[in-house]
Amino acid sequence: MGASLSSLTESESTAANGGRPSLGDIPENCVACVFMYLTPPEICNLARLNRAFRGAASSDSVWDSKLPVNYHQLLDVLPQRENYECVRKKDIFAALSRGVAFDDGNKEVWLDRISGRICMSISTKAMLITSGEDRRHWNWFPTEESRFHVVAYCQQVWWFEVSGSVKFPFPPDIYTLTFRVHLGKFHKRLGRRVCNFEHTHGWDLGPVRYELFTSDGQHSVSEYSTHDSDQDDASAYLKRGGNWIEYKVGEFIVSSSDPATEVRFSMKQIDCTHSKGGLCVDSVSITPSDLKARKRKGVGVSTYQ
């Protein structure tokens, strides 16, 4: 679509365009059929071309194809439960893609704006942390780098364990569960982001074990060490850039959203022969497995959006 299409949209009808056809002559229902094969951002961009495209871009039939098959169940988690039977599907998609917080704001679910598939993030605030209430071992600090604006910081422990669960009507799909962590403590100094590794120790002496279980019997286990050379020297990468990374726990398959799938997950290093500390734990994410390509086998760089 370049200058030629632009000239076609200058008038809404053939008569007003000296007998030449224009995009305004395409029936709205035909445009709607084409829109069903496009992504939501593409539809919104094309809606600006003319009246027929705007009408098609608001069609319930178009946006019904972009919503999950069980979107009615997802509406139940919205804080303001309105009568969505009278709301356009386009507005429902917009509401769900903005993200909906639930469980006291410690969990958030949203639709991916390109594919319309379900994604979820779970704050460490919604998890159980061994010795998490003891400020000698754990504390919390606010940050804009987290979707939930707060992260847990492990200062020093012998028994490290973080676990949680979620029960949700995930639409049928294959999902990947990851933990988002950060080695060292970061802060701003003179407007620049700096990392402090003063308390970072013990993680090179043994791997961290990650597990997930589902209510229908699926189970996955992964082990990673921040000093594992098989992970492309993840420790050196972290210390150079001080970035968040995601550790992949595993995948699980949802074949039906009824009943809702319960997922339990954990991250632990319980070798009590040595202490460990200096690690931030932000959240757990659950996303469709093929939605985001991983840059490394098992470990991928994460940028909060």
Side-chain angles (χ1 to χ4, degrees):
M1 290 189 180
S4 59
L5 271 185
S6 178
S7 64
L8 283 174
T9 62
E10 290 177 357
S11 64
E12 290 288 342
S13 67
T14 301
N17 200 31
R20 291 179 300 171
S22 71
L23 288 180
D25 295 316
I26 302 177
E28 186 176 304
N29 61 339
C30 292
V31 178
C33 289
V34 175
F35 280 2
M36 289 183 183
Y37 295 93
L38 302 181
T39 65
E42 291 170 337
I43 294 171
C44 292
N45 285 333
L46 290 172
R48 296 179 293 195
L49 288 176
N50 58 42
R51 187 180 298 116
F53 278 53
R54 284 194 296 274
S58 297
S59 169
D60 276 356
S61 62
V62 170
W63 290 98
D64 191 51
S65 66
K66 310 303 176 187
L67 288 165
V69 293
N70 67 328
Y71 75 90
H72 286 96
Q73 292 175 288
L74 306 181
L75 296 176
D76 291 338
V77 304
L78 290 175
Q80 297 177 343
R81 300 187 181 183
E82 305 173 7
N83 180 14
Y84 281 93
E85 296 298 327
C86 303
V87 178
R88 294 183 304 175
K89 299 293 179 62
K90 175 183 178 181
D91 295 329
I92 293 176
F93 185 94
L96 292 175
S97 64
R98 283 194 294 268
V100 181
F102 63 105
D103 192 12
D104 297 324
N106 293 321
K107 298 174 184 176
E108 188 172 350
V109 63
W110 66 94
L111 297 186
D112 175 68
R113 295 184 180 184
I114 303 296
S115 66
R117 296 157 76 187
I118 282 290
C119 302
M120 181 180 290
S121 187
I122 304 166
S123 170
T124 318
K125 280 286 188 180
M127 304 179 202
L128 296 175
I129 302 177
T130 301
S131 303
E133 300 302 320
D134 192 332
R135 292 181 63 85
R136 295 173 301 174
H137 304 303
W138 287 87
N139 54 62
W140 302 84
F141 67 91
T143 174
E144 293 301 314
E145 295 188 14
S146 169
R147 179 179 294 275
F148 301 98
H149 306 293
V150 65
V151 297
Y153 178 67
C154 173
Q155 186 155 304
Q156 178 170 303
V157 295
W158 290 83
W159 184 291
F160 177 92
E161 184 170 7
V162 179
S163 61
S165 66
V166 63
K167 188 174 184 179
F168 195 80
F170 291 99
D173 211 329
I174 302 175
Y175 296 89
T176 293
L177 186 145
T178 60
F179 269 87
R180 186 172 188 255
V181 303
H182 187 293
L183 195 65
K185 188 174 183 180
F186 55 92
H187 62 280
K188 288 287 185 70
R189 179 185 298 168
L190 300 177
R192 298 184 61 184
R193 186 183 190 274
V194 296
C195 291
N196 185 339
F197 298 99
E198 178 184 359
H199 300 115
T200 303
H201 67 282
W203 303 108
D204 57 330
L205 300 179
V208 177
R209 182 181 179 90
Y210 299 85
E211 286 188 86
L212 74 81
F213 301 86
T214 65
S215 50
D216 60 357
Q218 298 178 69
H219 177 216
S220 184
V221 179
S222 299
E223 289 190 348
Y224 302 112
S225 170
T226 55
H227 286 257
D228 189 343
S229 59
D230 291 338
Q231 299 302 323
D232 296 330
D233 199 5
S235 176
Y237 177 83
L238 281 171
K239 289 190 176 183
R240 281 200 311 271
N243 291 313
W244 291 95
I245 61 171
E246 293 181 354
Y247 284 98
K248 178 179 176 180
V249 181
E251 295 182 338
F252 62 94
I253 301 172
V254 175
S255 55
S256 174
S257 57
D258 188 17
T261 301
E262 182 177 11
V263 184
R264 292 177 287 119
F265 46 85
S266 64
M267 169 187 182
K268 62 182 71 173
Q269 214 280 30
I270 56 178
D271 181 356
C272 294
T273 61
H274 63 278
S275 67
K276 65 281 292 179
L279 185 75
C280 294
V281 184
D282 173 31
S283 59
V284 159
S285 68
I286 299 176
T287 58
S289 293
D290 60 350
L291 195 61
K292 182 172 62 175
R294 302 293 174 182
K295 292 187 178 181
R296 293 180 174 84
K297 182 181 178 181
V299 180
V301 180
S302 171
T303 302
Y304 168 66
Q305 298 179 340

